[in-house]
């Protein structure tokens, strides 16, 4: 079974072939089993040491609807990205994936840069369970890290670069 996935616009592929396990089917599983309330990340990837939850949004592609209107700092968008973590976490626990979880949001949009991605990261970080997992009752961390990266930053990253994102050539 291949671990190379195409994003929904068929412009980029994500190569997780060196991963222990990966899936792009959480959405399909939820929808086909009557769990339409839950949302999910685009990819879940297991490495030797952790699980990566990967969400991908790209308003810099041909055919993107109103790319100039895309606002990743919109509160509804930030909430949605946070919900995707929690709802995907439920799936991982149900299939007994118990490794530490890092969440990566790959974000491309007009005029996007390091500064705006950091601002988006900081806003969404406040919506994730980093503070919750500090209480004594929490015996297990739900999340270890959250990053917002461009495709280039992902590909050049020491850890994530092992799973390249490539433009599909026709």
């Amino acid at each position: 079974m291949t671990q190379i996935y195409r994003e929904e616009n068929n412009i980029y592929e994500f190569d997780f072939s060196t991963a222990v396990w990966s899936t792009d089917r959480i959405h399909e599983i939820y929808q086909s089993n009557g769990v339409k309330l839950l949302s999910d990340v685009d990819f879940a990837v297991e490495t030797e040491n952790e699980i990566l939850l990967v969400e991908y949004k790209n308003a810099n592609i041909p055919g993107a609807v109103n790319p100039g209107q895309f606002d990743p700092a919109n509160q509804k968008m930030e909430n949605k990205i946070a919900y995707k973590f929690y709802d995907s976490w439920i799936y991982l626990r149900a299939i007994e994936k118990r490794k530490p979880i890092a969440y990566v949001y790959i974000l491309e949009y007009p005029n996007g840069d390091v500064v705006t991605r950091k601002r988006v990261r900081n806003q969404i970080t406040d919506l994730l369970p980093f503070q919750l997992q500090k209480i004594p009752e929490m015996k297990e961390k739900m999340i270890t890290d959250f990053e917002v990266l461009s495709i280039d930053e992902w590909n050049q990253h020491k850890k994530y670069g092992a799973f390249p994102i490539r433009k599909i050539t026709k």
Side-chain angles (χ1 to χ4, degrees):
M1 187 162 163
T2 187
Q3 293 195 104
I4 299 175
Y5 307 107
R6 290 183 172 205
E7 50 85 22
E8 63 190 355
N9 298 297
N10 287 311
I11 294 174
Y12 289 95
E13 67 182 13
F14 294 70
D15 186 347
F16 299 116
S17 28
T18 60
V20 172
W21 168 87
S22 67
T23 187
D24 67 344
R25 296 188 57 238
I26 299 173
H27 180 76
E28 177 186 327
I29 291 165
Y30 281 173
Q31 295 298 305
S32 65
N33 289 288
V35 190
K36 296 177 180 172
L37 173 67
L38 298 179
S39 55
D40 54 275
V41 294
D42 294 309
F43 310 104
V45 182
E46 182 178 6
T47 70
E48 291 296 325
N49 302 314
E50 67 185 344
I51 302 284
L52 304 175
L53 292 179
V54 181
E55 179 62 17
Y56 168 79
K57 296 281 182 233
N58 193 339
N60 271 346
I61 56 174
V65 179
N66 295 321
Q69 299 297 315
F70 182 76
D71 179 8
N74 173 291
Q75 186 64 49
K76 284 184 180 180
M77 176 69 89
E78 291 172 349
N79 289 347
K80 185 174 182 179
I81 298 304
Y83 293 148
K84 287 175 178 261
F85 167 81
Y86 292 104
D87 293 351
S88 298
W89 184 88
I90 292 168
Y91 175 77
L92 291 174
R93 288 306 182 258
I95 64 168
E96 298 184 337
K97 297 289 185 186
R98 293 277 198 219
K99 291 180 181 176
I101 299 173
Y103 187 18
V104 182
Y105 180 22
I106 300 168
L107 178 61
E108 294 281 346
Y109 63 100
N111 304 315
D113 60 13
V114 173
V115 173
T116 56
R117 281 189 298 280
K118 282 184 180 180
R119 189 181 78 238
V120 169
R121 182 202 62 207
N122 293 342
Q123 299 281 110
I124 297 172
T125 295
D126 290 341
L127 303 171
L128 296 170
F130 289 104
Q131 293 301 315
L132 175 66
Q133 64 193 18
K134 290 180 181 179
I135 65 172
E137 296 87 0
M138 296 289 283
K139 304 298 181 207
E140 180 181 353
K141 280 191 171 188
M142 293 177 70
I143 187 170
T144 58
D145 194 21
F146 175 65
E147 295 189 63
V148 178
L149 304 173
S150 68
I151 291 172
D152 286 340
E153 289 166 334
W154 168 278
N155 283 335
Q156 294 173 23
H157 194 278
K158 184 174 104 178
K159 184 171 32 172
Y160 310 135
F163 309 111
I165 301 170
R166 293 184 288 259
K167 199 162 200 170
I168 297 169
T169 55
K170 299 190 179 185

